[in-house]
Amino acid sequence: AAQPVLHVFPSERPVFLREYAARNYSVVPYFVSKTLVEMPIVFMGEIISYCTAYWITGLNAPIVKLVFIAWCLGVTSSSQTLMLSCGVTSVTKAMQLAPVVQVPQMLFSGLFLPVSKIPASLQWVKYLCPLKYAINLATITEFRYIKDRIDACEAQSDPSSCQQRLPGDYLRIGLLENQGVRFDEWMDDVVALAALFVCFRLLAVFLLWRRGKYVF
């Protein structure tokens, strides 16, 4: 979802600036209409992707939830890329700066190593990475059945006996927690994705408004 924005928007911007200078419309209606067109397109792309891969990979989570999480990630990532594209003047510059927003997604998402093992002075970057929250949500959704099985066991027996009966489930939950996944914090991840989407869009609006203000 992010790559098309990176390639297309810098080439569309001269048209916007010309029409903005002619006072055909302002920045806010332009972004609202662009967002309303973009969101269903991203959603359809995620549906196609999951309809292709869901049953092949044998996922356990409901496909509707996984599509929704992927869609949230897609629109948030495209907002981040759109913000970058609004701050540069050409596709070349946008491509050169793309790693600035794309590489941290991989480094601070917990995909390769736990965020806790990253130096404390850099851990704050994770709060700007939508991939981190999307991975947390997808993991919580996919492995919810393990957590439910442990909760059901602990409701009937003490935790020590449950650990003896379900050692593999406790091991899996421990590994997920080491990666920073917390089953009781899923709403925080949803709110974080929504907040990043709004913040990136507002910053993109501001950057484009600043650039349009000095067209002539």
Side-chain angles (χ1 to χ4, degrees):
Q3 287 299 114
V5 175
L6 193 65
H7 288 85
V8 174
F9 184 75
S11 61
E12 291 180 348
R13 189 175 51 197
V15 178
F16 163 78
L17 292 176
R18 182 172 63 250
E19 295 178 351
Y20 177 76
R23 300 186 183 278
N24 291 336
Y25 47 78
S26 62
V27 178
V28 174
Y30 172 77
F31 265 91
V32 171
S33 61
K34 188 175 183 63
T35 300
L36 293 177
V37 170
E38 176 187 325
M39 293 177 77
I41 294 175
V42 175
F43 187 71
M44 289 302 299
E46 301 302 342
I47 290 177
I48 294 172
S49 298
Y50 271 97
C51 286
T52 303
Y54 181 80
W55 289 275
I56 296 175
T57 54
L59 296 172
N60 295 293
I63 188 172
V64 175
K65 291 184 179 181
L66 293 176
V67 168
F68 177 74
I69 293 169
W71 175 68
C72 290
L73 173 62
V75 295
T76 307
S77 297
S78 66
S79 300
Q80 190 178 40
T81 307
L82 183 62
M83 178 190 66
L84 174 66
S85 299
C86 289
V88 298
T89 56
S90 65
V91 177
T92 302
K93 291 182 179 179
M95 292 297 296
Q96 290 173 343
L97 291 175
V100 174
V101 297
Q102 293 175 349
V103 173
Q105 299 287 330
M106 307 300 292
L107 294 177
F108 295 93
S109 64
L111 192 61
F112 295 110
L113 78 162
V115 178
S116 59
K117 294 186 179 296
I118 297 174
S121 59
L122 297 175
Q123 290 184 16
W124 61 270
V125 179
K126 69 181 181 181
Y127 298 112
L128 302 177
C129 299
L131 182 60
K132 165 67 177 172
Y133 304 108
I135 288 178
N136 286 356
L137 286 172
T139 303
I140 291 170
T141 305
E142 176 65 20
F143 296 104
R144 170 62 67 178
Y145 71 98
I146 297 177
K147 186 69 166 60
D148 291 342
R149 197 155 55 196
I150 291 176
D151 290 343
C153 179
E154 292 182 349
Q156 300 175 354
S157 306
D158 58 281
S160 59
S161 61
C162 289
Q163 289 180 8
Q164 294 177 355
R165 291 166 54 187
L166 303 171
D169 289 349
Y170 279 90
L171 176 61
R172 294 184 184 97
I173 292 297
L175 292 173
L176 294 178
E177 290 179 348
N178 288 337
Q179 293 297 114
V181 178
R182 302 289 184 269
F183 282 83
D184 57 345
E185 296 179 359
W186 65 271
M187 182 55 71
D188 295 342
D189 296 323
V190 173
V191 172
L193 274 176
L196 286 176
F197 170 78
V198 173
C199 290
F200 289 146
R201 290 278 164 170
L202 290 178
L203 284 173
V205 169
F206 174 75
L207 290 173
L208 196 60
W209 172 77
R210 286 279 298 176
R211 203 163 278 279
K213 188 177 180 182
Y214 301 106
V215 174
F216 297 107

